[in-house]
Amino acid sequence: MRLPAMKAEFAIVRLSEGHLTANLDAYLTVSADVSPWTAENFLKRLPCKWDLSFALWQERPIAYCIMSLREGAVHIHQFMVAKDYRGKSVGSAMMLEAKTIAATKSNRITLKVPRHNVEAQRFYQRHGFSFSADAGDYRLLTFEMSRNQAGGS
């Protein structure tokens, strides 16, 4: 995949338990400045997680998306871009890939984002997500795919 703003090549790597375990420190580094995720979070077993989750690599992971199937929707548990790659279209490229992969399992994507993280909320809204509900310190957002986006005709 080529990202126009960076003019660099990135490989899309589908995650597996073995791959994630072997590269765990590198994945923890991607989000260390903004996420409290631990090895336990990364390795937690979730429905369809290994069918849905992926990362962008350039010698090491520079971004990743952990998804699973939850109540008939694909749920994004963690969507992270390394600090040095933020604001350079990496997140947009990842969201396109997330939607493509999610469409193989559902026509709906859900996620939650901290209420105080207005920048992330704006990012998801720019990518078609809409507010669903408040849940404590989080806002729940949903993206509904059209039949064409979800692989229908």
Side-chain angles (χ1 to χ4, degrees), residues 27-105:
Y27 282 101
L28 288 167
T29 300
V30 169
S31 59
D33 66 317
V34 292
S35 174
W37 264 38
T38 64
E40 184 178 324
N41 295 111
F42 274 103
L43 298 174
K44 184 177 181 178
R45 294 186 188 276
L46 298 166
C48 297
K49 176 181 178 176
W50 305 123
D51 295 333
L52 296 166
S53 300
F54 68 97
L56 294 183
W57 270 69
Q58 188 181 52
E59 298 179 23
R60 67 190 190 307
I62 57 136
Y64 64 83
C65 181
I66 307 291
M67 300 187 285
S68 73
L69 202 54
R70 179 189 281 179
E71 299 175 5
V74 171
H75 183 75
I76 297 176
H77 296 272
Q78 188 83 324
F79 187 95
M80 288 290 159
V81 175
K83 186 176 184 176
D84 292 346
Y85 293 86
R86 294 179 196 147
K88 298 177 180 177
S89 300
V90 173
S92 293
M94 283 209 12
M95 184 54 69
L96 179 62
E97 184 67 14
K99 288 176 179 178
T100 299
I101 292 170
T104 67
K105 300 286 184 193

